[in-house]
Amino acid sequence: MSTMRQYELFELRWNGLDLEGLETSVKIHAVFSCPEQQVHKEVKGFYAGNGEYVVRFLPEKPGRYTWKVTEEVAGCAANERNTACLDGAVEMVGEAVCEAADSGRHGLVRAEGTHFRCADGTWFYPFGTTVYAFSHQEDALVEQTFETLAAAPFNKIRICVFPKHYDYNHNDPEYFAFEKTDGKWDVCRPCYPFWDRLESHIARLDEMGIQCDLILFHPYDCWGFSKLTRKEALTYLDYVVRRLSAYPNIWWSLANEYDLMDYQMEDWYAFSRFLHENDIYGHLLSNHQMVIPWDFSDEATTHICHQTSELDYLSRDIDRFQKPLMVDECRYEGNIPRRWGNISGFELVNRFWIVCMQGGYCTHGETFLNETETLWWSKGGTLAGESPARIGFLRSILEELPGPLTFIGGGMTREEFERVKAIRSGEEGLEGFERLMWSLSWEQAKDFVNSRREMAACCGTDAYLKYYCRNCTSIGKLELPEEGSYDVEVIDVWEMTRTKVLSGVNGTVELRLPGKEGIAIMAVKKG
């Protein structure tokens, strides 16, 4: 009897089949059952080239499993042994024992409320990076990128399925996703060396504990992949799901900057529905914009994904959609002429803190010019910036806490302002500030009424944090519960220092601060 391991890809593979002309028409299905765990899943297989057919399954519960394989060809009814196609070639039934997960394996990351959690209950705090054309580089550069990731603080990476044609990235890859028929990409003829190579990268990232945010479409294209018809795109997505969905570290990103592409909204909704309905494991799914944010109320969409430099009010989207939030692009540390690619290391770290203090999560990118034009954000290689170490410092602080952060920094929304204005503006005897305030429009008043909004968060009553961003205050203040006993630290986010300044305090606490940018304070309950 074979064995499988909880949270790890399990594969059934058959080869030696003589199916010339029928390879991609054969559709293999397997039903995996584990009655003791109430598991019953139908898994779709795929053709992997060289006469090999593959079914992959991701077991999420330990126990004894049985499987049964059926197949169909080009519209033939499914049956246990279609003699015209797979006669005698497939072991149609089998068993496997799924052993409990190895230490360090936590299972699929899914949305839980407004945060992310692994299948085993472990909270997951995504600290990502971007290497768009990672899998389209030569082997030596890919290996260098892996070596860099092994020493970096990132546990998520954004990469593209299709190659990218853009500044600092004009090289043709060795392989493309499909073969051509009559000079046109044929989505019914996958290029198997391409998919073998891509999934080897995904598997290696999984071994390193890194989530792979796989970007399925993008507009930066000179080859024609961005011009697939809806039917062709759905055929491509079907192969992607059949082949890759059993990898536990996959996230689906519909696109990078979807609103720059020619697809209509009904196309995008068709893509999201297809993934939602055909991915039996429920991997995370979202969509990334240039200007027009995706509709995050879409039921197939598991989390919010933004490209934005306007970070101060992201908590409102979390409140509105009640989903986790990723800022997957907030500009990059670097020095290229493009505005989006030349912020300082400190500013990128500052943005990470601002996002995380609001209960969201952020993604790194780096765009430093060099002689070979090997920029991390596009091709990978090595990191030259100052932000990664500081991002790792922030990650270590959050992972010490007993749970994720909830924003408590206050502020007023348009709806709240209009509601209060309707009540107060009609009152008699208003003078000075109040008379002025309730005579203003929201656009006139919003900056002032939110001037006391703070980057403050809590983890229940176990921990409280406040981040002062680029302000240089010399006195900090925390409002702690009257019950309990807290230790208070001053954190320098750039120097990566943590200094305990108070012990055993509660209630309203004031403390001296260094009077410089990038200072945070944190109170953690004792005991």
Side-chain angles (χ1 to χ4, degrees):
M1 182 181 296
S2 59
T3 60
M4 58 176 85
R5 182 76 68 172
Q6 184 184 19
Y7 305 143
E8 297 182 34
L9 180 149
F10 174 72
E11 183 175 273
L12 301 173
R13 184 177 289 260
W14 302 275
N15 55 30
L17 307 183
D18 183 12
L19 297 169
E20 184 176 355
L22 291 175
E23 294 92 343
T24 57
S25 297
V26 175
K27 302 296 185 184
I28 297 231
H29 304 254
V31 175
F32 285 79
S33 298
C34 179
E36 65 187 279
Q37 295 284 11
Q38 298 182 321
V39 174
H40 183 85
K41 288 187 178 291
E42 180 178 336
V43 180
K44 296 179 179 180
F46 64 95
Y47 181 65
N50 298 319
E52 291 191 313
Y53 287 82
V54 179
V55 169
R56 289 172 173 164
F57 175 61
L58 180 62
E60 297 196 75
K61 296 180 179 180
R64 183 183 294 270
Y65 286 76
T66 62
W67 71 78
K68 181 178 181 180
V69 177
T70 59
E71 81 284 340
E72 58 182 318
V73 180
C76 297
N79 55 79
E80 291 190 6
R81 189 175 300 279
N82 188 321
T83 56
C85 303
L86 302 180
D87 188 23
V90 176
E91 181 183 3
M92 304 308 299
V93 295
E95 292 183 78
V97 172
C98 179
E99 299 175 349
D102 287 335
S103 175
R105 286 277 185 176
H106 302 293
L108 261 69
V109 177
R110 296 186 174 96
E112 182 168 315
T114 60
H115 294 280
F116 298 103
R117 204 165 197 169
C118 301
D120 71 347
T122 304
W123 290 109
F124 181 78
Y125 308 114
F127 285 82
T129 190
T130 296
V131 186
Y132 284 125
F134 171 68
S135 287
H136 303 283
Q137 308 310 311
E138 65 275 13
D139 288 343
L141 183 54
V142 169
E143 185 60 35
Q144 187 180 51
T145 304
F146 273 119
E147 291 173 0
T148 301
L149 287 170
F154 309 120
N155 58 8
K156 171 179 172 288
I157 185 171
R158 302 172 66 229
I159 69 172
C160 296
V161 174
F162 296 130
K164 186 174 181 180
H165 182 80
Y166 191 66
D167 295 353
Y168 314 109
N169 197 142
H170 294 112
N171 58 303
D172 278 359
E174 182 177 2
Y175 301 111
F176 295 95
F178 315 116
E179 305 289 355
K180 285 187 173 181
T181 298
D182 298 328
K184 183 185 177 189
W185 298 117
D186 186 344
V187 295
C188 293
R189 295 178 59 208
C191 174
Y192 303 111
F194 168 87
W195 292 99
D196 290 343
R197 191 168 184 265
L198 173 63
E199 69 183 24
S200 74
H201 298 161
I202 295 169
R204 188 167 173 184
L205 290 169
D206 183 43
E207 291 296 324
M208 297 169 69
I210 299 175
Q211 301 290 302
C212 181
D213 197 351
L214 195 62
I215 298 167
L216 299 168
F217 299 95
H218 68 79
Y220 301 105
D221 172 46
C222 67
W223 301 278
F225 298 111
S226 63
K227 304 299 183 183
L228 297 178
T229 66
R230 184 199 288 198
K231 182 178 179 181
E232 289 172 330
L234 289 171
T235 300
Y236 151 62
L237 292 178
D238 181 63
Y239 191 75
V240 166
V241 170
R242 288 171 180 267
R243 183 151 190 162
L244 301 181
S245 63
Y247 283 96
N249 61 325
I250 285 288
W251 298 25
W252 306 124
S253 180
L254 286 179
N256 183 70
E257 297 175 348
Y258 84 94
D259 46 339
L260 290 184
M261 299 185 70
D262 293 336
Y263 294 121
Q264 302 302 306
M265 289 306 298
E266 55 264 31
D267 298 318
W268 291 114
Y269 288 130
F271 301 157
S272 69
R273 283 195 305 272
F274 181 88
L275 291 167
H276 180 65
E277 293 169 1
N278 288 274
D279 174 8
I280 63 172
Y281 306 108
H283 290 276
L284 292 164
L285 182 150
S286 196
N287 205 359
H288 171 280
Q289 97 290 355
M290 167 62 88
V291 177
I292 305 169
W294 176 245
D295 176 12
F296 300 111
S297 64
D298 171 47
E299 69 169 2
T301 302
T302 58
H303 61 285
I304 302 161
C305 172
H306 277 315
Q307 172 177 196
T308 183
S309 295
E310 303 298 323
L311 305 176
D312 289 347
Y313 297 101
L314 292 170
S315 61
R316 292 176 179 172
D317 270 0
I318 297 175
D319 291 340
R320 176 186 174 191
F321 295 108
Q322 287 298 297
K323 293 180 179 181
L325 180 143
M326 288 291 318
V327 178
D328 272 321
E329 197 171 337
C330 65
R331 299 174 63 185
Y332 303 131
E333 179 185 7
N335 59 10
I336 63 173
R338 297 277 192 171
R339 181 175 177 273
W340 48 260
N342 55 29
I343 65 173
S344 70
F346 179 86
E347 180 54 29
L348 185 55
V349 172
N350 178 55
R351 293 178 183 205
F352 261 78
W353 274 83
I354 289 171
V355 174
C356 289
M357 293 299 292
Q358 294 177 79
Y361 303 94
C362 202
T363 297
H364 157 276
E366 183 178 292
T367 48
F368 284 100
L369 285 171
N370 52 58
E371 291 183 359
T372 62
E373 292 194 350
T374 306
L375 280 64
W376 175 264
W377 134 94
S378 185
K379 296 181 179 180
T382 59
L383 289 163
E386 298 178 286
S387 65
R390 279 84 184 179
I391 292 168
F393 177 64
L394 170 59
R395 176 182 170 183
S396 69
I397 291 172
L398 294 192
E399 290 183 343
E400 284 182 13
L401 300 176
L405 293 177
T406 299
F407 179 68
I408 55 171
M412 182 177 282
T413 65
R414 176 193 291 269
E415 292 75 15
E416 292 167 332
F417 175 79
E418 297 294 355
R419 178 177 55 80
V420 176
K421 178 180 176 179
I423 297 171
R424 300 298 308 279
S425 60
E427 296 179 1
E428 296 182 1
L430 294 179
E431 295 183 359
F433 166 76
E434 285 194 305
R435 179 172 55 83
L436 171 63
M437 180 55 57
W438 306 121
S439 70
L440 298 176
S441 68
W442 167 249
E443 292 300 322
Q444 293 171 317
K446 63 181 180 180
D447 289 339
F448 189 83
V449 299
N450 284 302
S451 61
R452 295 185 181 181
R453 178 181 165 95
E454 299 176 311
M455 290 302 143
C458 70
C459 177
T461 59
D462 292 315
Y464 295 83
L465 282 86
K466 186 179 290 186
Y467 176 55
Y468 290 96
C469 309
R470 287 190 169 273
N471 298 311
C472 299
T473 184
S474 60
I475 298 177
K477 185 176 180 179
L478 283 173
E479 298 291 344
L480 302 175
E482 296 293 337
E483 303 295 327
S485 178
Y486 292 82
D487 289 342
V488 180
E489 293 180 304
V490 174
I491 300 169
D492 188 318
V493 309
W494 188 252
E495 299 299 332
M496 297 183 285
T497 60
R498 299 171 60 174
T499 306
K500 183 187 289 188
V501 294
L502 295 171
S503 182
V505 299
N506 55 30
T508 301
V509 175
E510 286 193 353
L511 60 154
R512 298 288 299 182
L513 297 179
K516 58 178 289 191
E517 296 180 320
I519 297 297
I521 53 179
M522 179 170 68
V524 178
K525 185 183 286 187
K526 299 174 68 174

